[in-house]
Amino acid sequence: MKRRTKIISGVAVAATCVALTGTGMAVAGGGDDDGGDTPISGAALDKATAAALDSTGEGHVTGTEVNDEESKYEVEVTLNDGSQVDVQLDEQFNVVSSENDGHDDGGASED
């Protein structure tokens, strides 16, 4: 009985170590360019939204991200025709680039 208890305890400790190691890696990996997708908030969201919509001339904001891999702010705008544009903004909310991502209709090819 004691041997069985020791084996079960050892397996439980090993499983806990594996789980904690995985959690530590996930937390440490949070700083990469796709880490966490932190949305823009507060006054920055208002400024980023205005800059992105001014750039596209139409549409509505469907997603935002701070510290995107390409810029300080990324604003995803869905245009009136259903296509999506990712607008990249610098720290002063100036447009540094924009990319048409095509339509968000479940896999249709880009124009």
Side-chain angles (χ1 to χ4, degrees):
M1 185 85 159
K2 290 182 182 181
R3 182 173 181 215
R4 182 176 170 187
T5 302
K6 288 180 182 179
I7 291 172
I8 291 171
S9 295
V11 169
V13 168
T16 301
C17 289
V18 168
L20 291 175
T21 301
T23 301
M25 292 175 136
V27 169
D32 68 353
D33 30 80
D34 197 25
D37 297 335
T38 304
I40 305 170
S41 62
L45 176 60
D46 295 337
K47 291 177 182 179
T49 296
L53 293 177
D54 186 52
S55 173
T56 61
E58 64 174 274
H60 60 279
V61 173
T62 52
T64 65
E65 184 178 344
V66 176
N67 293 324
D68 178 64
E69 65 271 6
E70 297 176 36
S71 62
K72 176 68 176 178
Y73 302 107
E74 178 182 271
V75 180
E76 180 183 272
V77 177
T78 299
L79 302 177
N80 298 340
D81 67 359
S83 64
Q84 294 182 334
V85 177
D86 288 340
V87 180
Q88 306 294 330
L89 305 169
D90 66 13
E91 293 84 1
Q92 288 77 39
F93 304 97
N94 297 311
V95 176
V96 291
S97 70
S98 64
E99 179 181 341
N100 189 323
D101 281 347
H103 284 76
D104 184 26
D105 56 5
S109 62
E110 294 184 25
D111 292 335

